[in-house]
Amino acid sequence: MIKVYYRGSSVFSRRAFSWFEKNNINVQKQQISKVTSGCLIKLLQHFDKRLTAILKHEGKSSSEVENTPKHETSFPQ
């Protein structure tokens, strides 16, 4: 099962959920505004890359993000 985090009921969310349904893919929907900090930390622990690799950077192109200095980030176990 795929867990999809979405923001509100935007046209993009509706299209994505429609596509999953059309392709018989089961998804668990989770509004991003209802995610707790504990759940987010648990989710981020599954990533083996640094935190900067998965964050959205407003106003930066992907090449600028790749050249941004990386900061080590650790999460509680």
Side-chain angles (χ1 to χ4, degrees), residues 16-63:
F17 293 133
S18 175
W19 184 89
F20 284 124
E21 185 176 329
K22 177 182 162 189
N23 289 283
N24 296 318
I25 300 172
N26 292 327
V27 295
Q28 181 182 1
K29 300 175 186 177
Q30 174 69 53
Q31 266 193 338
I32 198 84
S33 62
K34 297 184 180 180
V35 174
T36 64
S37 59
C39 183
L40 185 58
I41 289 171
K42 187 175 181 180
L43 174 68
L44 291 174
Q45 288 175 337
H46 293 284
F47 289 90
D48 61 353
K49 294 185 178 182
R50 295 178 179 168
L51 185 58
T52 54
I54 61 172
L55 291 177
K56 178 179 177 183
H57 295 273
E58 295 287 335
K60 287 191 174 183
S61 70
S62 43
S63 63

Side-chain angles (χ1 to χ4, degrees), residues 7-18:
R7 188 180 305 163
S9 60
S10 72
V11 67
F12 302 109
S13 296
R14 289 192 304 271
R15 284 182 188 169
F17 293 133
S18 175

